[in-house]
Amino acid sequence: MKITRTMEVGVGLFVSLGLAALLMLALKVANISAMAVTEGYLVTAHFDNIGKLGIRSPVKMSGVVVGRVTRVDYDVDRGQAVVEMRIEKRFSHIPRDTSASIYTAGLLGEQYLSLDPGGEETFLKQGDDLPLTQSAVILERTIQQFLYSKTVQGNGKKKP
Amino acid sequence: MTELFARIGRSSLSIFERLGNGTLFLFQILMGLGFGFKRPTLVLLQIWAVGVRSLSIIMVSGAFVGMVLGLQGYNTLVTYGSEESLGALVALSLIRELGPVLTALLFAGRAGSALTAEIGLMKATEQLAALEMMGVDPLQRIVVPRFIAGLFAMPLLAAIFTAIGILGGYFCGVGLLGVDAGAFWSLMQQHIDLIDDVMQGVVIKSIAFGFVVTWIALYEGYASLPTSEGVSQATTRTVVNASLAVLALDFVLTGLMFH
């Protein structure tokens, strides 16, 4: 078999098509820009319970992703979970007294960390610890409390 | 009674013999790999035969698999009111499993069988012996370029399959069933990691599958009996063994990669 012009063009097209497909998978599907958050500053927050929050969970402000969780650990001294997050550089004017809460996207969705800005004039910087936190809502615990309060109520009514 | 044991013994010995010969054959290919880079035109010719001419079946299958995933995924997800996750579902299943595995199965059927039949016929018509007579090593001249081409074409084919499958899922989910386009892409991007999913799922898996399928196809052709019946048996064995090897290897790779 001799190599014809068609074959050369065909192989060239095939290779570029394959590379284009890989590029599409990297850029459009995996969103390479979202994981390349190496710039920015690290902030920590302590929680009693972090639920299912994990590394790479989004950190949101007013619903906008401003950073990602980079580390989840247990702080033995304080007896609490400590979450370290990297906030993008361009969101550098976040008040120092911002509070952090863990919410769930939808009823069964994944959990994310939400920041609610406070009113202080000084801004968060590298290594700060967020003072005000609100733990994740554990559905089972809420249901348990609800049932318990209902039982107590019911018992109360029965008493003459 | 002894005949039964003799038969078991014979078949297991022949299995081990084939395994050993196959491994030796692979070593010989790997040793001769440098030849392929000395004669890139031979490799180009094989990429045309193995890769470019598999493109149509890969693209059409990819589109339909993606569309079916979109349709089925939508029907299931809509019961839970989370049809926005369709993008993540389609992309995850294609990238991690269906893309590389189906491509490898199609590749074994389309390109692997052709490789075996070609080399088997070369052997049956004594072309390989003729090459040897001329002082050309048939392993280097015939087998090595095909091996490199298979190894090179598989990841590209798998990437094309996956990308077209995702577009097919997009067409079905967003175009026909009315899932929100923004949510489709953004949930997909949230759930798919470049290194963990795209690199490991598509690239590494497909390179491993390309390696195994091409190896089996070339070995079966090279070791086939030089008769028309032998070639047909070798071709069948290629498709069966390569498909089984791909599925088994996929299980192992998935176990190693995603835990």
Side-chain angles (χ1 to χ4, degrees):
Chain A
M1 247 201 317
K2 247 188 78 182
I3 297 205
T4 59
R5 181 95 183 133
T6 338
M7 284 180 185
E8 283 180 350
V9 175
V11 171
L13 277 178
F14 168 61
V15 172
S16 30
L17 199 65
L19 292 180
L22 266 182
L23 208 66
M24 176 202 150
L25 290 180
L27 293 179
K28 184 80 183 168
V29 177
N31 196 8
I32 200 166
S33 52
M35 59 168 284
V37 202
T38 47
E39 285 197 346
Y41 54 99
L42 293 168
V43 176
T44 55
H46 288 76
F47 293 93
D48 289 327
N49 196 320
I50 59 162
K52 287 184 294 179
L53 201 73
I55 290 168
R56 280 180 52 76
S57 291
V59 178
K60 295 183 182 181
M61 264 179 101
S62 312
V64 179
V65 178
V66 297
R68 298 264 170 197
V69 172
T70 51
R71 192 169 61 89
V72 170
D73 208 352
Y74 185 74
D75 187 343
V76 185
D77 298 333
R78 290 177 60 166
Q80 279 180 317
V82 55
V83 173
E84 187 186 66
M85 67 204 96
R86 186 183 293 280
I87 295 173
E88 281 177 49
K89 213 176 183 176
R90 59 198 176 103
F91 304 108
S92 56
H93 295 295
I94 300 175
R96 179 70 185 83
D97 60 345
T98 292
S99 66
S101 348
I102 298 174
Y103 292 121
T104 310
L107 191 59
L108 302 165
E110 64 176 337
Q111 291 189 306
Y112 64 94
L113 213 147
S114 174
L115 299 179
D116 299 301
E120 239 177 73
E121 295 288 312
T122 48
F123 298 120
L124 277 178
K125 57 182 191 303
Q126 167 82 22
D128 275 348
D129 188 67
L130 295 171
L132 301 166
T133 61
Q134 187 193 327
S135 288
V137 173
I138 310 293
L139 205 59
E140 289 95 318
R141 194 173 289 171
T142 317
I143 294 172
Q144 211 174 18
Q145 277 168 357
F146 175 74
L147 289 177
Y148 180 71
S149 69
K150 277 287 169 195
T151 334
V152 170
Q153 251 180 26
N155 287 347
K157 268 182 196 164
K158 268 181 202 164
K159 278 181 187 168
Chain B
M1 195 63 198
T2 32
E3 181 56 30
L4 177 70
F5 286 114
R7 196 171 291 173
I8 295 175
R10 239 192 334 264
S11 58
S12 38
L13 277 179
S14 91
I15 288 174
F16 278 114
E17 196 190 335
R18 294 179 67 78
L19 274 176
N21 281 339
T23 315
L24 280 178
F25 181 72
L26 179 66
F27 268 118
Q28 283 173 327
I29 294 179
L30 294 179
M31 297 301 272
L33 219 52
F35 179 80
F37 298 103
K38 269 195 291 186
R39 294 285 299 274
T41 44
L42 288 176
V43 180
L44 187 113
L45 209 74
Q46 292 310 317
I47 292 177
W48 166 265
V50 164
V52 181
R53 299 185 61 189
S54 307
L55 213 50
S56 50
I57 185 176
I58 292 290
M59 287 168 82
V60 173
S61 328
F64 279 116
V65 167
M67 277 156 69
V68 163
L69 270 179
L71 215 59
Q72 286 282 15
Y74 179 83
N75 286 338
T76 311
L77 287 172
V78 82
T79 358
Y80 302 102
S82 53
E83 61 268 29
E84 285 82 20
S85 313
L86 189 66
L89 178 119
V90 169
L92 267 182
S93 31
L94 273 170
I95 285 178
R96 287 193 176 174
E97 295 295 336
L98 291 178
V101 171
L102 285 182
T103 309
L105 293 180
L106 291 169
F107 186 75
R110 164 66 186 73
S113 58
L115 285 178
T116 307
E118 193 185 10
I119 293 181
L121 270 178
M122 279 183 181
K123 197 179 173 188
T125 52
E126 293 181 340
Q127 293 180 46
L128 294 185
L131 275 178
E132 228 161 331
M133 293 285 285
M134 290 190 287
V136 179
D137 185 356
L139 203 92
Q140 288 189 347
R141 183 69 171 67
I142 303 293
V143 175
V144 167
R146 284 167 173 76
F147 186 75
I148 298 177
L151 211 57
F152 182 75
M154 228 339 258
L156 294 178
L157 288 174
I160 293 171
F161 184 99
T162 312
I164 289 193
I166 289 172
L167 291 180
Y170 177 83
F171 167 74
C172 230
V174 177
L176 298 181
L177 297 165
V179 174
D180 181 54
F184 185 90
W185 290 116
S186 77
L187 275 167
M188 188 189 295
Q189 291 173 353
Q190 263 179 39
H191 283 93
I192 287 172
D193 191 77
L194 181 69
I195 306 292
D196 289 351
D197 295 322
V198 177
M199 273 301 160
Q200 291 194 342
V202 177
V203 179
I204 295 187
K205 263 190 182 179
S206 58
I207 289 178
F209 294 161
F211 185 91
V212 168
V213 170
T214 326
W215 172 30
I216 292 178
L218 292 174
Y219 174 70
E220 291 292 355
Y222 210 71
S224 68
L225 292 175
T227 57
S228 47
E229 203 188 6
V231 174
S232 90
Q233 278 175 356
T235 314
T236 313
R237 265 206 306 271
T238 293
V239 177
V240 172
N241 290 351
S243 308
L244 288 178
V246 162
L247 293 173
L249 187 66
D250 179 52
F251 176 72
V252 175
L253 285 179
T254 302
L256 287 176
M257 286 171 180
F258 310 108
H259 42 73

